[in-house]
Amino acid sequence: MSDSEFDIEELSMSESESDSCISIDEDGLSDHSEDGSDHSDDGVDTSIRKWVEINKDDPPPPPPRFPFRGSSGCNFTLADYFDPLAYFLLFFNLELINMIVTETNNFALQQARSSRDQWEPVTVEEIYIFLTISILQGLLYKPSEKMYWSRNKLIETPIFGKLMKRTRYEEIKKNLHFENNTNFNPETHDNPKLWKIWPIINNLNSKFSQYYTPQQNISIDESLLLFKGRLSWKQYIPQKRSRYGVKFFMLCESETGYLHNFLIYTGKGTCLNKKYGHFLFTSQVVLSLLDPLLDKGYCLTTDNYYTSPQLADYLITRKTDCCGTLRTTRKDVPKILHKKKLKKGETVAMQRGKVLIQKWHDRRTVTFLSTFHSATMVSTETRTGNVLMKPQVVVHYNKTMGGVDLLDQHLHDYTVARKRGKKYYKKIFFQLLDISLYNAYVLYKKNGGQKPNMLFRLTLIERLITTYHTVTMASKHGRTRTAGPLRLTEKHFPDFIPPTDKKVAPTRCCVVCCKKNKDGKKIRRETRYQCEQCQVAMCPAPCFKIYHTKENF
């Protein structure tokens, strides 16, 4: 599915196989039919209304949208709205980190089999630095995790060894845990298949919806987290980039891709809202995600895996509009639309109350359902400059369906979760960490932040290091000459600049004095002193103190 423009070749493939998936459950059965047919009563009586074919030359006006009554925007206050760390701590706050510290220490002690397996308890600061290293690995991709601590000059990255020893990082990652094994009871747990990661899912999901209310246009789609390990509810979706993995159902804001709510598919044990149990499985997914936003005038966009006339009828009763592609094999879709053969550019539409179903043929045939569009054709300009006539619903679908795709694109650029991972709950944890970073970035932009995503993450990494790094790892292979965030936490001492072959007492420009002042002019001042650790020239006073205590000197 394209994230910005309707691709008729991809989206309007054979309607019986588009977005189809094969569930790999314990019993080898799928939870929903591949042909998209409805098999359950949805509780909405449509027998008193009939489908009426619309005159394509003189279509009636579109039904009015429900008035939007949601209060979209940020629901929090910060001391500094331009500090990336403040946004990150909204999601990974001290309460959540303390829970991770407690469960990780408990699990490590449970796993210790002898005195040689002594475990040094992990601290809050170490967990934050552990997360910092994981985020930085997403920006600096290397084929193997051990390569980040390599001393090979061709690939060396000294910052990792200074932040944490490789063995300590591997110990923390090996014992990373989020739930006490001794407390698990499969008969009473809310979601037995996700119990190892359930506290993190609940915590972050509530925060995603708590701190930001989306705008009127929202979309629901699935996203696949690559995972090829053993898992009874692993999914195989040929159309997805990863193909194998853990499937997320996501509700995102269409404009920014902010993730407001999500569910993880676990086969027959998928945790859904029980009050929608009489609906089709796909409709249960939609309504479970959408439940807090019903009756507020939202406009939902979905693809043909979710869209059905019954779902549209129910959403209308909850003052929620919807729009999306539709499989003509769905229950209650007029048979004439399924059998109707169209030539290129032709369209046929039928309406029942507020619900419109329109079939259109461009390069292939595609069918749409909408509760707030008419069958009118409008002119649009393509990327190549050509002017084409498209139904109104297609234009709206192109504009609003890309919320989840937008999120996936940003996660793919600087992904935190590594490809190889045997523990599904750790893979999900790093994926949720990545999503939290993107949501934090969206909130940062909503409040006037100007930095792009990569620079936002780099600044966040620097802030995490300066705030939580406490232990200095000595390097045996020289010192770095570039200023970094570690200068604010390491031990530094002034020293004379060593003599050279030409000068016994050489001098260099002071890095603080030579920086541009408020008038934009440089002050050239030579000094005989430098920082022994940083290998940067500076005056002993006051420049030495300024350089090592202020981020923006």
Side-chain angles (χ1 to χ4, degrees), residues 508-542:
R508 297 210 309 262
C509 292
C510 172
V511 68
V512 178
C513 295
C514 292
K515 190 173 182 179
K516 291 182 179 180
N517 58 19
K518 295 181 179 179
D519 299 328
K521 298 179 181 179
K522 288 186 177 181
I523 303 174
R524 182 176 179 84
R525 181 171 295 170
E526 300 284 332
T527 179
R528 283 198 58 201
Y529 296 91
Q530 68 173 4
C531 173
E532 182 183 10
Q533 176 79 359
C534 301
Q535 293 286 296
V536 176
M538 62 190 75
C539 303

Side-chain angles (χ1 to χ4, degrees), residues 26 178-179 184 186 189-202 205 225 231-234 246-249 262-267 269-272 423-429 432:
E26 308 92 16
F178 317 105
E179 183 67 282
F184 173 60
H189 198 277
D190 294 336
N191 198 328
K193 293 185 179 180
L194 288 171
W195 72 274
K196 283 182 176 289
I197 191 67
W198 192 241
I200 303 294
I201 292 174
N202 272 343
N205 219 352
L225 169 63
L231 198 63
S232 62
W233 33 274
K234 180 175 60 180
V246 178
K247 183 162 74 172
F248 285 68
F249 296 111
F262 71 92
L263 295 169
I264 298 179
Y265 176 78
T266 57
T270 303
C271 188
L272 300 170
K423 302 296 184 181
Y424 78 92
Y425 60 92
K426 294 181 184 178
K427 200 77 181 276
I428 293 175
F429 171 75
L432 294 179

Side-chain angles (χ1 to χ4, degrees), residues 315-337:
L315 290 178
I316 289 173
T317 65
R318 301 301 301 271
K319 299 180 181 179
T320 302
D321 283 307
C322 64
C323 161
T325 52
L326 176 70
R327 301 177 187 177
T328 56
T329 54
R330 290 285 192 189
K331 181 181 178 181
D332 212 24
V333 174
K335 293 183 179 179
I336 186 175
L337 289 177

Side-chain angles (χ1 to χ4, degrees), residues 291-311:
D291 185 68
L293 302 180
L294 293 175
D295 301 311
K296 296 181 180 179
Y298 276 92
C299 178
L300 173 68
T301 306
T302 57
D303 63 16
N304 58 22
Y305 179 63
Y306 307 94
T307 312
S308 68
Q310 290 76 20
L311 176 63

